[in-house]
Amino acid sequence: MLQRFYPKRTAESAYKIDYEKLYREGYRGILFDIDNTLVEHGADASKRAIALFARLKQIGFQCCLISNNKEERVLRFNRNIGVNYIYNAHKPSGKNYIAATKIMGTTIKNTIFVGDQLFTDVYGANRIGMTTYLVKPIHPKEEIQIVLKRKLERIVLHYYRKDLKKGKIQAD
């Protein structure tokens, strides 16, 4: 039951993923959540985020931001990055994950999703069969509804680690 929320892969940060390895594995598209995945909640793109997207483009990846935020927020973040985006995505609905692959010219199988929340980011991508990366939130300050979700996430992650240890599931 809880496995629907389990990420396929985990990383300390979106900035510590081996993207060159992902490209060698055949991935060609990457979807990113924004807030607390790439920058603190509500922040503009940092120098680190701008450099990451320049690197991803150089590797050969197609990228798309997929956010439940309003367009103004996503546009502001994307101003110095210049990738495709979907705002008001209604994650965890799978519809806009699929739409993002069409925008990028990729498929569900050769696209990966990177996000910091299990119940929206990871669950939405898992629902359509996309490979998921769960990263740790960049900053502990979050909106109250997310704070409440984080308490539930800790329970799911406890069982995730337990299932990994027992060999019931395998992470890449």
Side-chain angles (χ1 to χ4, degrees):
M1 161 108 175
L2 293 178
Q3 289 185 358
R4 70 181 72 174
F5 301 109
Y6 290 178
K8 187 69 173 162
R9 301 177 182 191
T10 60
E12 284 294 311
S13 162
Y15 300 99
K16 295 191 177 184
I17 295 172
D18 187 344
Y19 293 104
E20 288 80 5
K21 181 181 177 197
L22 288 175
Y23 196 85
R24 288 190 305 273
E25 290 174 1
Y27 291 101
R28 295 299 180 261
I30 305 174
L31 304 180
F32 285 96
D33 175 54
I34 300 172
D35 287 329
N36 249 348
T37 297
L38 295 167
V39 292
E40 292 179 15
H41 185 81
D44 290 347
S46 62
K47 289 180 183 178
R48 183 166 74 157
I50 293 165
L52 173 64
F53 282 92
R55 178 177 150 218
L56 294 172
K57 290 173 187 178
Q58 185 177 25
I59 293 169
F61 279 110
Q62 294 295 313
C63 297
C64 187
L65 305 170
I66 180 169
S67 175
N68 285 346
N69 280 299
K70 294 179 180 172
E71 186 173 24
E72 179 278 326
R73 163 70 182 119
V74 179
L75 275 172
R76 187 167 38 88
F77 176 83
N78 196 34
R79 184 179 318 123
N80 294 317
I81 290 177
V83 296
N84 295 303
Y85 67 88
I86 294 176
Y87 66 94
N88 197 22
H90 300 287
K91 295 180 291 183
S93 170
K95 177 182 172 187
N96 283 311
Y97 293 83
I98 294 166
T101 63
K102 291 182 190 316
I103 290 169
M104 294 186 303
T106 62
T107 67
I108 290 167
K109 294 297 174 199
N110 72 1
T111 302
I112 198 159
F113 183 87
V114 179
D116 70 297
Q117 291 189 53
L118 287 179
F119 300 126
T120 52
D121 299 333
V122 171
Y123 179 51
N126 282 348
R127 290 176 70 193
I128 62 162
M130 186 177 285
T131 299
T132 53
Y133 249 106
L134 177 68
V135 296
K136 291 186 177 177
I138 286 184
H139 194 273
K141 185 177 183 248
E142 297 180 297
E143 296 174 342
I144 188 65
Q145 72 272 17
I146 296 173
V147 171
L148 297 173
K149 285 186 208 176
R150 294 288 186 207
K151 292 179 186 296
L152 295 173
E153 283 183 355
R154 281 196 291 273
I155 295 167
V156 174
L157 289 171
H158 167 78
Y159 285 101
Y160 169 75
R161 287 187 290 276
K162 197 172 175 180
D163 286 351
L164 273 175
K165 199 173 189 177
K166 289 181 178 178
K168 287 185 177 181
I169 58 166
Q170 290 187 336
D172 289 344

